[in-house]
Amino acid sequence: MLIQTQINPTLKIPSFSRKPIQTHTLKDICLRGNLKEAFQSLPVSSNDHPDETYAPVLELCAQKKALSQGLQIHAHMIKSCSVSESVFLATKLVFMYGKCGSVMNAEKVFDQMGQRSIFTWNAMIGAYVSNGKPFEVLQTYKEMRVLGVSLDAYSFPSLLKASGSLKNLYLGAEIHGLAVKFGYDSTVCVVNSLVAMYAKCDDLFGARRLFGRIEQKDDVVSWNSIISAYSSNGRSMEALELFREMQKAGLDSNTYTVVACLQACEDYSFRKLGKEIHAAVLKSAQLLDAYVAGALVAMYVRCCKMSEAVRTFNKLEEKDKVAWNSVLTGFIQNGMCSEALHFFHDFRNAGEKPDQVTVISILVACGRLGYLLNGMELHAYAIKNGFDLDLQVGNTLIDMYAKCSCVNYMGYAFNRMPDKDLISWTTVIAGYAQNSYALKAFELFRELQLIDIDVDPMMIGSILLACSELACVPQVKEIHGYIMRRGLSDVVLRNMIVDVYGECGNIDYAVQTFESIQFKDVVSWTSMISAYVHNGLANEALELFHILNKTNIHPDSIALKSALSAASSLSALKYGKEIHGFIIRQNFSEGSIASSLVDMYSRCGMVENAHTIFKSIQSKDLVLWTSMINAYGMHGHGKVAIDLFNKMKENLTPDHVAFLSVLYACSHSGLTAEGRQFFEIMKYEYQLEPWPEHYACLVDLLGRANCLEEAYEFVKSMQMAPTAEIWCALLRACQVHSNQELGEIAVQKLLELGSTNPGHYVLVSNVFAAKGRCKDAEKIRSRMKERGLKKSPGCSWIEVGNRIHTFMARDKSHPECHHITKKLDQITEKVEKEGGYIAQTKFVLHNVEENEKVKMLYGHSERLAIAYGLLKTAEQTPIRVTKNLRVCGDCHTFCKLVSKLFGRELVVRDANRFHHFEDGVCSCGDFW
């Protein structure tokens, strides 16, 4: 631009008439700030007094940051006089270009100067400082020292500001020494700059010591410097105390004081002080300018008072982009993403053009809300304006697409970035891991290791998440070893390792890692408890929770949910009640864990207690409604579950899980028509594509109702390939209703899938054994052995006293085995004599003698648990037993007779549902 002006130096005068008579000097016109009039008043030639002619106009251009006009003035000067011969004018040019942001032109003028004064050097240093080029300041300073240029009082503020920007305390101390040497250490502007430098270099002690040495603290700038120093270093209380001292000293605040104090109000706890400062500003109209107004908006944002922030913003006469972005960022920081989008529409309607800060804020909002289309629109805008190449914008785009589960565009945004930092890699790897692209996450992690970027704990956390997704223990061990070698093994990562080992089913390594943590926090305990629960070790989970309560660490909501889950899986009502009591005593909000409490009570057979918890919660979310619907379905109250589901629909939109719960309720209550209807509503009214679990539930429902042909046609009409669970549901129904033809089809389909679930093979084997096809049954069992699959042995447990007592079929390991066996013999004798009980050996599918089949039935685990309950619990109290498998038909009859002849309610939870036996009748209506 400078070269062009030299080629064609003609001054471009705006198209207005030149006044022949000037009543004011050019200097007076410039002092009034009228650039247009100043241009009109310029003489054609200024050879006589060029300094007086051009200096005020250049100063005005600098003040107005009018680069275009400054370039024209420079061209006019080249034509009219020799700029290089006037050190004064050349210095003014350097100053003007620096203020207008044209460092390159400032450097050209500076380099062409044959002579330079200290003012020239100061102007060049100032240009670098004001344009964010501290390294260039350092180079210029070194050049000055080599040339022996003596510094003056105005040199030091710029040099100290550059030192602060670089956080170079050594350089700052050197310049401080020079200030002392030259006698400027008591000059107010130098002292203020020294205070600011020490503060920016994180040496608040040095800053405060310098401020304390000032004898006459009557300069408001000095106070502003020390207040800003404490405020910018997060020492808010000290900053505000200094402000109080300043007021006591009788000094009047200016706008810089107010801005510094508002910046000190850093969070919600300072809201009252912030309002006091706001009130003082309103009383003194001279303090309310654009900078103070912007600081007020930012203060209310930090104090989480968005309504006040918006009210203050709306009162601004001139709303600049900084103010708009402050409010926009505030909405995001306070989790008000929908409001942020509405405010963005106002922003656009006001004619404002989004910059990088705006784009980042709205992308964050789109990601959190899952608004993919809006995010893609903003991505297109960013590409059009070149913002997507910005590092922060690129990282935010990756995060937005990850949160919207759009991994293809996430990868595109990542690959398009010209420069990538650790955040870029961490975000994209986390995005792949969170969206179940574990292998891609590992691939990028391998690629990252080949370049010179240090891996941090957050990156390792994302890779561990990918390991959890793959459930690959060797990969976890590899990452664990990598962490140990790199010395990254802090408590947070060790907690994650415990969690991932638990997720991958390696409980031994999880325990070892947990025990190796010297200073365990609540997450450590929670991770280990969750690992036990995940691996079916509920007893160990409850024992560890008990140990946790003896420490000084208080369980958090996640630990409580895990403990309640353990109590639920064991149907350990006493433990569950103890945990509930702990929640109440510790003043935990029951609302946050209400669904876990409902689930615990329902799985412990206390559906009434579950409903009491449900009713006590004022604001019920979808999870809580679903838990209660599931509870009623589990206990055979299908009609009640349907009524509850319909009531829920009035205020909430049901999801896949809610529909699964109501279908489950219909299935276990024989509500065939209702089940069909809900399936249709889900698919067509709510546009929810059924999961395999929904199909399996409806097949089970139709099968129970002996609508086998309809069930088979339904399976054939599925849009997806039927899963093993669906064929199992059809096979069980065929077994119950003796439909051999369809049963054979289901068997073949099930075996073709090559399931890894041992229960599926056991079902097929039992079907063959029931038909007398012993050789086929044996082949199925042999196939199980070849694949390393084992049948889960029948197991029942009962909570008596403070212990969970576990029994296997024909168990002899219990310490009171003799008494239990004797009691069971008495029970069996009574139900045979008084109830007419006859063992139904058809339920024993082993190829053994008849009397051996009877013994096997008599030794089933639930009978041992019931016998122990009758032996150890008080009369009139319910006996609660849980079994890991489905209760057989013979034991079901046995339980009905025991409830009638012994006058005790039996609550038996099997793998399918709850059975409430009372006075010889079961709540399932013999339909399970």
Side-chain angles (χ1 to χ4, degrees):
M1 293 175 70
L2 186 59
I3 293 169
Q4 288 176 350
T5 57
Q6 290 172 339
I7 294 170
N8 185 16
T10 304
L11 180 64
K12 296 179 181 177
I13 304 296
S15 58
F16 37 76
S17 61
R18 188 182 295 274
K19 297 179 181 179
I21 300 173
Q22 294 289 336
T23 57
H24 298 283
T25 66
L26 182 59
K27 186 175 181 180
D28 291 334
I29 294 169
C30 290
L31 287 173
R32 289 205 304 269
N34 194 327
L35 189 59
K36 184 189 246 184
E37 190 178 346
F39 259 68
Q40 286 180 325
S41 303
L42 272 174
V44 176
S45 175
S46 300
N47 289 327
D48 294 336
H49 304 286
D51 292 359
E52 294 178 10
T53 302
Y54 293 112
V57 184
L58 287 171
E59 287 177 2
L60 184 58
C61 288
Q63 180 187 337
K64 299 285 186 179
K65 298 188 189 309
L67 178 61
S68 177
Q69 289 87 339
L71 285 165
Q72 292 181 52
I73 295 292
H74 190 182
H76 194 269
M77 290 168 62
I78 292 169
K79 180 181 178 182
S80 304
C81 64
S82 179
V83 177
S84 58
E85 293 179 1
S86 173
V87 175
F88 177 76
L89 279 182
T91 301
K92 288 289 182 182
L93 279 169
V94 172
F95 177 79
M96 182 272 294
Y97 280 127
K99 287 294 183 182
C100 293
S102 182
V103 177
M104 186 182 298
N105 281 334
E107 288 175 333
K108 285 181 179 178
V109 174
F110 182 81
D111 291 341
Q112 289 172 2
M113 292 176 67
Q115 291 182 324
R116 302 176 187 127
S117 68
I118 184 59
F119 303 106
T120 312
W121 288 96
N122 288 345
M124 193 66 245
I125 292 171
Y128 284 135
V129 169
S130 60
N131 288 279
K133 294 181 177 293
F135 286 105
E136 286 78 356
V137 173
L138 182 58
Q139 292 299 321
T140 308
Y141 165 69
K142 288 180 179 178
E143 188 179 348
M144 290 174 73
R145 296 300 305 276
V146 170
L147 295 173
V149 178
S150 296
L151 305 177
D152 68 1
Y154 298 101
S155 308
F156 289 101
S158 295
L159 293 172
L160 289 167
K161 188 172 183 180
S163 302
S165 299
L166 293 169
K167 289 190 176 294
N168 190 332
L169 185 59
Y170 178 81
L171 175 63
E174 179 185 321
I175 296 168
H176 187 180
L178 284 175
V180 173
K181 180 180 178 180
F182 294 141
Y184 296 120
D185 58 318
S186 58
T187 305
V188 175
C189 66
V190 176
V191 174
N192 294 341
S193 298
L194 281 167
V195 169
M197 181 275 294
Y198 279 112
K200 286 181 180 176
C201 293
D202 300 325
D203 184 6
L204 277 179
F205 177 76
R208 187 62 183 266
R209 186 172 55 184
L210 269 173
F211 179 75
R213 288 178 181 172
I214 301 174
E215 293 181 5
Q216 296 294 325
K217 298 183 176 68
D218 54 1
D219 180 32
V220 70
V221 179
S222 303
W223 285 97
N224 289 347
S225 296
I226 193 66
I227 291 170
S228 296
Y230 276 95
S231 178
S232 59
N233 279 271
R235 304 281 287 275
S236 299
M237 291 306 300
E238 290 95 329
L240 293 170
E241 284 171 10
L242 283 164
F243 175 58
R244 297 289 188 200
E245 287 181 31
M246 175 184 161
Q247 289 180 314
K248 289 177 183 177
L251 273 77
D252 292 329
S253 306
N254 61 18
T255 56
Y256 294 101
T257 319
V258 174
V259 169
C261 291
L262 287 171
Q263 287 172 345
C265 300
E266 59 184 358
D267 57 34
Y268 185 75
S269 61
F270 289 89
R271 65 194 185 283
K272 188 176 179 182
L273 287 169
K275 284 188 174 182
E276 288 178 8
I277 296 169
H278 191 178
V281 168
L282 293 175
K283 288 178 183 177
S284 177
Q286 69 217 28
L287 293 178
L288 188 58
D289 64 5
Y291 294 106
V292 172
L296 279 167
V297 171
M299 179 273 294
Y300 280 123
V301 165
R302 290 192 301 274
C303 293
C304 308
K305 304 287 289 184
M306 284 308 300
S307 57
E308 295 291 338
V310 172
R311 190 178 296 115
T312 305
F313 172 81
N314 289 334
K315 290 179 181 178
L316 294 177
E317 291 183 7
E318 294 184 9
K319 300 177 175 68
D320 61 5
K321 197 163 291 182
V322 174
W324 281 98
N325 283 337
S326 294
V327 178
L328 199 55
T329 305
F331 280 126
I332 302 298
Q333 290 173 350
N334 287 279
M336 304 167 71
C337 295
S338 296
E339 290 83 350
L341 291 180
H342 288 303
F343 189 76
F344 178 63
H345 289 306
D346 295 339
F347 173 87
R348 296 306 305 273
N349 291 336
E352 294 286 343
K353 188 177 180 182
D355 60 6
Q356 284 100 321
V357 177
T358 320
V359 169
I360 289 169
S361 297
I362 299 303
L363 283 173
V364 170
C366 292
R368 291 180 184 175
L369 294 170
Y371 288 178
L372 177 60
L373 291 178
N374 297 88
M376 292 177 78
E377 287 178 10
L378 211 58
H379 188 181
Y381 175 85
I383 292 172
K384 183 179 178 181
N385 291 275
F387 295 159
D388 66 320
L389 302 179
D390 177 80
L391 183 62
Q392 285 185 297
V393 173
N395 290 342
T396 313
L397 278 167
I398 295 168
D399 184 64
M400 182 274 293
Y401 281 123
K403 284 184 169 64
C404 293
S405 303
C406 188
V407 291
N408 291 334
Y409 279 98
M410 179 187 74
Y412 168 79
F414 176 76
N415 292 329
R416 183 174 164 81
M417 291 175 67
D419 299 305
K420 303 176 181 73
D421 62 2
L422 181 61
I423 295 172
S424 314
W425 287 93
T426 301
T427 307
V428 75
I429 288 173
Y432 280 120
Q434 290 163 5
N435 286 284
S436 303
Y437 283 77
L439 291 175
K440 184 65 177 176
F442 270 108
E443 180 186 323
L444 282 175
F445 182 66
R446 303 285 189 209
E447 187 179 332
L448 173 65
Q449 290 175 297
L450 298 176
I451 60 179
D452 190 23
I453 293 181
D454 290 329
V455 175
D456 67 352
M458 190 172 292
M459 170 75 73
I460 296 296
S462 299
I463 289 299
L464 286 172
L465 179 63
C467 291
S468 177
E469 175 70 26
L470 291 173
C472 181
V473 174
Q475 290 279 20
V476 183
K477 289 181 179 178
E478 181 184 337
I479 300 299
H480 192 178
Y482 178 87
I483 291 168
M484 300 300 288
R485 290 192 303 274
R486 290 296 186 95
L488 298 172
S489 188
D490 59 6
V491 176
V492 175
L493 277 181
R494 289 193 179 190
N495 292 342
M496 292 190 72
I497 292 167
V498 170
D499 192 56
V500 174
Y501 274 131
E503 290 284 335
C504 295
N506 196 321
I507 198 67
D508 293 334
Y509 277 97
V511 171
Q512 287 178 23
T513 307
F514 173 74
E515 291 177 347
S516 72
I517 303 173
Q518 186 176 1
F519 301 105
K520 301 176 179 68
D521 58 12
V522 66
V523 181
S524 311
W525 291 90
T526 302
S527 297
M528 193 64 243
I529 291 168
S530 300
Y532 277 133
V533 172
H534 181 75
N535 287 275
L537 300 170
N539 273 314
E540 288 81 351
L542 290 174
E543 184 180 341
L544 192 64
F545 181 77
H546 184 65
I547 295 170
L548 169 60
N549 286 333
K550 292 180 179 179
T551 68
N552 293 324
I553 298 172
H554 295 291
D556 59 7
S557 60
I558 300 172
L560 290 168
K561 288 178 182 179
S562 296
L564 286 170
S565 178
S568 300
S569 64
L570 292 172
S571 294
L573 181 61
K574 186 172 182 180
Y575 278 114
K577 284 185 173 180
E578 285 179 2
I579 298 167
H580 189 187
F582 176 87
I583 291 167
I584 295 170
R585 289 193 303 275
Q586 295 297 319
N587 293 320
F588 266 94
S589 170
E590 287 189 8
S592 63
I593 48 180
S595 57
S596 297
L597 284 167
V598 167
D599 188 61
M600 181 275 292
Y601 276 117
S602 65
R603 289 181 180 275
C604 290
M606 300 289 288
V607 71
E608 299 84 3
N609 290 36
H611 189 241
T612 301
I613 297 291
F614 175 77
K615 286 197 302 182
S616 70
I617 305 302
Q618 295 298 318
S619 181
K620 302 175 179 67
D621 60 10
L622 186 61
V623 176
L624 182 57
W625 282 95
T626 302
S627 297
M628 196 65 238
I629 292 165
N630 187 60
Y632 279 125
M634 193 189 306
H635 287 268
H637 304 306
K639 291 285 187 184
V640 181
I642 289 172
D643 290 342
L644 202 62
F645 181 86
N646 289 329
K647 189 174 181 181
M648 177 193 75
K649 286 198 303 178
E650 295 173 5
N651 299 307
L652 295 170
T653 302
D655 61 2
H656 283 90
V657 181
F659 273 106
L660 189 60
S661 295
V662 76
L663 284 171
Y664 175 87
C666 293
S667 176
H668 286 280
S669 297
L671 303 172
T672 309
E674 291 85 345
R676 288 195 192 100
Q677 184 181 5
F678 280 121
F679 190 88
E680 296 295 313
I681 289 171
M682 176 185 72
K683 192 171 181 180
Y684 298 109
E685 185 175 330
Y686 287 92
Q687 302 295 309
L688 294 174
E689 191 61 33
W691 294 344
E693 291 84 354
H694 296 99
Y695 285 108
C697 205
L698 192 62
V699 169
D700 181 66
L701 174 65
L702 295 171
R704 288 171 184 272
N706 200 12
C707 301
L708 296 177
E709 291 295 337
E710 182 183 348
Y712 180 53
E713 291 300 321
F714 176 73
V715 172
K716 289 197 297 182
S717 67
M718 285 174 57
Q719 298 296 314
M720 65 178 73
T723 61
E725 283 70 24
I726 294 171
W727 290 115
C728 270
L730 184 61
L731 180 56
R732 287 193 192 96
C734 292
Q735 185 185 19
V736 171
H737 298 290
S738 304
N739 190 320
Q740 295 186 14
E741 184 181 349
L742 281 181
E744 194 63 37
I745 294 172
V747 164
Q748 293 304 318
K749 294 291 186 181
L750 189 56
L751 294 176
E752 285 173 10
L753 290 173
S755 173
T756 56
N757 186 338
H760 298 162
Y761 294 97
V762 172
L763 175 62
V764 173
S765 175
N766 289 345
V767 168
F768 286 151
K771 295 177 183 176
R773 296 166 58 180
C774 297
K775 288 184 179 181
D776 291 332
E778 189 58 37
K779 285 180 182 178
I780 296 298
R781 293 187 181 274
S782 297
R783 185 183 293 190
M784 284 180 64
K785 288 180 182 178
E786 290 170 5
R787 299 191 177 190
L789 302 175
K790 292 182 180 180
K791 175 190 174 184
S792 299
C795 175
S796 298
W797 54 92
I798 182 172
E799 184 184 24
V800 176
N802 293 319
R803 284 188 57 199
I804 303 294
H805 298 265
T806 305
F807 299 92
M808 309 296 283
R810 304 171 79 176
D811 197 354
K812 302 290 184 183
S813 62
H814 197 279
E816 298 179 70
C817 170
H818 175 72
H819 299 293
I820 296 169
T821 305
K822 186 177 178 180
K823 183 65 176 177
L824 182 56
D825 290 341
Q826 292 172 359
I827 296 168
T828 305
E829 184 179 351
K830 184 167 183 175
V831 296
E832 285 177 341
K833 288 183 178 179
E834 299 180 26
Y837 167 72
I838 299 173
Q840 302 172 68
T841 55
K842 68 178 182 179
F843 292 106
V844 179
L845 302 174
H846 295 279
N847 189 16
V848 293
E849 297 293 330
E850 194 70 14
N851 61 337
E852 187 62 27
K853 289 183 178 181
V854 172
K855 288 180 182 179
M856 291 176 75
L857 286 172
Y858 285 0
H860 275 188
S861 61
E862 59 265 53
R863 301 192 191 202
L864 293 169
I866 290 168
Y868 191 68
L870 287 170
L871 195 64
K872 291 292 182 178
T873 59
E875 292 186 7
Q876 307 303 317
T877 58
I879 296 172
R880 305 179 189 280
V881 174
T882 304
K883 185 173 182 179
N884 66 331
L885 303 177
R886 184 175 178 271
V887 173
C888 75
D890 187 66
C891 288
H892 194 266
T893 302
F894 178 84
C895 290
K896 288 197 292 186
L897 291 171
V898 169
S899 70
K900 181 178 181 180
L901 298 176
F902 287 85
R904 301 287 292 274
E905 181 187 358
L906 301 182
V907 181
V908 179
R909 172 183 149 197
D910 69 4
N912 276 9
R913 59 170 297 152
F914 267 91
H915 302 264
H916 292 261
F917 299 97
E918 195 166 7
D919 198 25
V921 178
C922 180
S923 61
C924 74
D926 300 338
F927 186 85
W928 82 103

